[in-house]
């Protein structure tokens, strides 16, 4: 919430509803523009940010083509002033769903880009949730060894998490995100209006990651969420922009300090995730949405921290209540520690069989803790069925 | 040939036949060790260079498994001192030939690495020519968004060119190297003994790139080649090491100044290549070996430079004679300018339809020249059939 990262007001009447956050990565730094009610000028923003753009490769989730993808393509082509160069637009639709993060879709995308005479100067624009962002980002990283790309996230999760930070990739059968690249976008364009068509459960699931930022880094934001959860659930644009901007700033700062997950700093973004991944894997992918699993996982992590004496009961209750307000699940009756532990041991964040957890010491602060007794982990999972 | 880049002698008796060149890329710098007669200790060198290596993923061209791949795997496993950790070795063979630079082989490699329980700490080792190096390098760049890798080039072309500089990738149907990554190895291990099993024509073709380095950067080396071409053709180890080391130093310096081909500096490595690519494409891939096409392409480029008045006849004759001594083709009777020109216009080095050529101004010095008249290009191709 640093006022210095806000951009100067735009010259259109709707300008006051746009703010900008920067991901600080030296010569790879890029802005995240966050607006409401400006979906008809997204293409214009891309042309402004990438002067001289002559070929746009627009990769869209099939569910967002009408109206968001269409609007974007139109504003890429139209409305340019006389001295602008025309932009050639190539467009492709990706089937909705996690199964599109595959080598097959990657191959299809590459061959299509080639047929569309894409070259190193082409700019790829990803319009969709994390699935399309991850797939298209990896395509941008790989086509002629890397072309520029723009993220236009259309789910809350993609706005606050997957579109920021440069992780791109696809899945292998049975293993998520095994193949990919670190490849930063040139620009991220968020407009909260696109959330109007998003399914309720998917929208709420994104709040899991939003709450995460409050716990790991920002007690003030956590308190703001306690007060404004209802406005967020009602998709109030002002509340959404504030939540998205604050979340992006948190992620941007962490990514700026540890772009490639090499110093350990970036690991704090995995709060709740070691448990969540194990829940997702043992429950069968698709049973729970990712943000729902993260919500349950954060509860497990907080209980583990409590049992280690590093976190207090009152803070745990605050986290529980906020997640409840966000209509997120806080326990998972079918959690099976006997199945979850082996999955946690195989997690690719584990080097040579040593488990690490990101655990809260208070609201707004987490630590990386290793060498934890299996029994305590089992207990933290098990208590999931008790309603606290 | 800067003596400062040579390493201090190794402590084994055979040490005097090993030298080291460094690719200067800041925290991504890496050494190229060049030896003769040490193929039984390549695994040892990898263990020395990457302390703590516990899982090696060895990707081999099927034609070099016996004896080179086997020797390397054995020396990875054996001969470690008591306080060394054991290295688990996973090995896979790749079918020989350009068609292995495909999404299918990439997918196969990724799925196999997963089955072998590879993780972020695994080290990929590529043993083969440019095909296996490019494919395996892209696999290393992509598996869990990047793992360390080692190049063990087994063709002369791979030793002096493809294993150095971090370009990795695969082909799309009809388009070479369209998909890939810039991903630097941690180490390059060259032993000239592995060339003993290499086909004569393929060996000679590698000399095309060696001559290239003389023309673009190093007149002294060019003169050395004029004197020592016969020793090289006889695969004399001392001559080979000198030629490989000097070539690698040249490429390393250029790559160090322009890792991602963004400043234009790296373009000088493409001397002869705009013509060569067009010859390869119109002749049908496989008719000519790459180094042969480069030889012909350098002759075309030199003639173009001559016609522009920037290069002299005597220097052209020296280049022609050296290529002849290396038993490389200096013209191509079937070269068809009408077919080659459109290919050159589509070359991915061309941004927005403007052709550029790397042309010599004297032996040891090239310049990037654009805006050249098509007629002169056609003439330079056409004279190919005349024997000069
Ligand atoms: N790269 C990263 O750093 C990162 C971080 C977190 C998650 N992820 C990845 O993100 C993916 C999950 O992303 P997601 O939750 O956005 O899922 P998603 O992309 O599958 O989108 C969820 C669903 O919503 C639909 N949809 C998207 N936007 C819509 C809109 N505006 N209106 C109507 N429908 C819409 C989609 O078609 C899909 O069915 C996972 O693959 C995960 O691995 C990546
Ligand atoms: N990455 C780069 O910077 C770069 C630069 C130049 C070329 N390349 C790529 O390199 C590839 C060509 O490389 P190449 O010329 O090494 O071809 P290659 O890898 O196909 O090897 C040529 C042949 O020699 C065989 N072989 C290799 N080593 C052998 C040995 N020691 N003994 C016996 N047989 C052996 C192989 O099986 C193959 O049949 C092309 O795909 C080209 O695009 C990449
Ligand atoms: Zn998450
Ligand atoms: Zn070449």
């Amino acid at each position: 919430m640093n006022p210095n990262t806000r951009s100067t007001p735009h010259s259109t009447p709707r300008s006051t509803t746009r703010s900008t956050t920067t991901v600080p990565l030296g010569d790879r730094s890029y802005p995240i523009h966050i607006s409401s009610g400006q979906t008809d000028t997204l293409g214009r923003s891309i042309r402004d940010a990438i002067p001289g753009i002559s070929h746009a490769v627009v990769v869209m989730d099939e569910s967002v083509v009408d109206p968001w993808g269409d609007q974007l393509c139109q504003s890429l082509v139209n409305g340019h002033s006389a001295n602008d160069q025309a932009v050639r637009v190539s467009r492709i639709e990706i089937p909705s769903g996690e199964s599109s993060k595959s080598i097959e879709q990657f191959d299809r995308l590459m061959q299509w880009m080639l047929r569309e005479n894409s070259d190193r100067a082409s700019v790829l624009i990803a319009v969709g949730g994390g699935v399309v962002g991850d797939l298209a980002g990896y395509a941008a990283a790989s086509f002629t060894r890397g072309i520029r790309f723009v993220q236009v996230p259309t789910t809350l999760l993609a706005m606050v998490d997957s579109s920021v930070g440069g992780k791109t990739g696809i899945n292998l059968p049975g293993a998520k995100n095994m193949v990919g690249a670190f490849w930063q976008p040139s620009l991220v364009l968020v407009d909260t209006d696109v959330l109007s068509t998003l399914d309720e459960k998917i929208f709420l699931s994104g709040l899991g990651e939003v709450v995460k930022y409050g716990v790991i880094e920002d007690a003030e934001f956590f308190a703001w969420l306690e007060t404004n959860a209802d406005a967020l659930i009602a998709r109030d644009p002002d509340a959404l922009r504030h939540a998205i901007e604050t979340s992006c700033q948190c992620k941007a700062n962490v990514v700026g300090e540890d772009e490639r997950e090499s110093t350990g700093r970036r690991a704090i973004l995995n709060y709740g995730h070691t448990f969540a991944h194990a829940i997702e894997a043992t429950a069968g992918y698709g049973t729970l949405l990712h943000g729902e699993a993260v919500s349950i996982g954060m509860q497990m992590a907080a209980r583990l921290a409590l049992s280690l004496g590093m976190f207090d009961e009152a803070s745990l209750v605050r986290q529980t209540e906020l997640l409840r307000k966000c209509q997120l699940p806080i326990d998972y009756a079918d959690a099976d520690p006997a199945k979850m532990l082996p999955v946690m041991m195989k997690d690719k964040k584990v080097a040579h069989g040593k488990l690490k957890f990101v655990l809260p010491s208070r609201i707004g602060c987490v630590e990386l803790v290793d060498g934890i007794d299996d029994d305590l982990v089992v207990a933290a999972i098990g208590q999931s069925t008790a309603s606290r």
Side-chain angles (χ1 to χ4, degrees), chain A:
Chain A
M1 287 167 296
N2 173 357
N4 296 329
T5 59
R6 285 170 190 274
S7 67
T8 46
H10 201 254
S11 57
T12 71
R14 288 182 284 193
S15 63
T16 49
T17 61
R18 173 163 142 172
S19 64
T20 299
T21 292
T22 300
V23 184
L25 287 166
D27 58 359
R28 276 169 288 104
S29 294
Y30 53 93
I32 306 168
H33 295 312
I34 303 164
S35 62
S36 299
Q38 299 184 16
T39 56
D40 55 342
T41 60
L42 291 174
R44 170 83 269 165
S45 300
I46 293 170
R47 298 171 64 114
D48 287 347
I50 306 178
I53 177 175
S54 65
H55 182 214
V57 173
V58 185
V59 182
M60 303 173 279
D61 186 301
E62 60 181 4
S63 303
V64 303
V65 175
D66 176 13
W68 316 119
D70 287 338
Q71 278 188 19
L72 182 135
C73 290
Q74 244 166 31
S75 90
L76 266 174
V77 174
N78 297 337
H80 59 98
S81 54
N83 44 7
D84 272 5
Q85 194 184 1
V87 178
R88 181 166 68 93
V89 175
S90 299
R91 36 186 293 169
I92 192 169
E93 300 182 16
I94 305 292
S96 299
E98 185 71 26
S99 62
S100 281
K101 275 176 61 174
S102 65
I103 299 247
E104 289 71 30
Q105 286 294 331
F106 176 71
D107 186 20
R108 169 180 171 244
L109 205 44
M110 289 290 148
Q111 298 207 34
W112 168 78
M113 284 173 72
L114 180 63
R115 280 196 306 275
E116 291 289 316
N117 289 315
S118 309
D119 63 20
R120 292 168 145 209
S122 302
V123 178
L124 190 152
I125 301 166
V127 188
V131 163
V132 163
D134 282 10
L135 167 69
Y138 183 46
S142 302
F143 192 80
T144 67
R145 300 194 190 89
I147 62 172
R148 291 169 296 177
F149 94 112
V150 175
Q151 290 270 22
V152 183
T154 64
T155 65
L156 182 57
L157 179 127
M159 290 172 179
V160 299
D161 191 357
S162 63
S163 70
V164 176
K167 281 195 184 178
T168 71
I170 56 180
N171 305 328
L172 290 179
K176 267 184 67 87
N177 301 325
M178 284 308 285
V179 177
F182 285 95
W183 194 249
Q184 302 292 345
S186 305
L187 175 67
V188 181
L189 286 180
V190 174
D191 193 288
T192 58
D193 278 22
V194 304
L195 297 174
S196 62
T197 52
L198 190 63
D199 171 85
E200 178 75 358
K201 215 169 129 73
I202 296 174
F203 171 80
L204 293 172
S205 141
L207 290 176
E209 304 282 356
V210 172
V211 170
K212 180 188 80 176
Y213 293 115
V215 180
I216 66 176
E217 277 270 285
D218 194 336
E220 190 189 326
F221 180 50
F222 189 95
W224 182 90
L225 287 170
E226 291 177 314
T227 310
N228 293 279
D230 293 341
L232 285 176
I233 289 170
R235 306 192 199 185
D236 172 73
D238 295 331
L240 280 173
R241 282 200 316 284
H242 180 74
I244 294 165
E245 186 181 0
T246 311
S247 298
C248 286
Q249 273 169 12
C250 175
K251 179 148 186 186
N253 290 338
V254 173
V255 166
E257 289 168 32
D258 181 18
E259 186 180 5
R260 286 177 170 268
E261 220 159 36
S262 46
T263 69
R265 173 78 176 130
R266 192 160 171 161
I268 71 163
L269 298 173
N270 285 318
Y271 174 51
H273 279 62
T274 304
F275 288 107
H277 291 152
I279 292 169
E280 288 175 298
T282 55
Y285 285 105
T287 311
L288 285 164
L289 291 171
H290 174 68
E292 295 173 340
V294 169
S295 177
I296 298 164
M298 289 192 291
Q299 287 292 96
M300 291 177 179
R303 284 194 299 261
L304 180 55
L306 188 69
S307 72
L308 288 166
M310 61 181 279
F311 195 55
D312 66 277
E313 182 80 36
S315 297
L316 171 56
V317 170
R318 280 183 73 195
Q319 177 180 289
T320 311
E321 289 313 308
L322 177 54
L323 292 171
R324 269 210 181 104
K325 266 197 177 169
C326 293
Q327 303 179 16
L328 286 163
I330 51 164
D331 55 31
Y332 180 56
D334 295 336
D336 181 348
K339 284 186 186 148
M340 284 171 63
L341 265 182
V343 177
M344 291 192 264
M345 300 300 292
K346 273 192 78 169
D347 194 297
K348 77 175 184 293
K349 267 102 208 167
V350 179
H352 306 302
K354 214 164 154 45
L355 257 186
K356 288 179 205 157
F357 284 96
V358 177
L359 300 180
S361 51
R362 53 183 163 77
I363 297 291
C365 191
V366 286
E367 288 167 25
L368 204 57
V369 186
D370 56 17
I372 296 172
D373 221 346
D374 279 10
D375 294 353
L376 292 177
V377 178
V378 170
I381 295 172
Q383 288 167 46
S384 181
T385 49
S387 71
R388 304 187 71 106

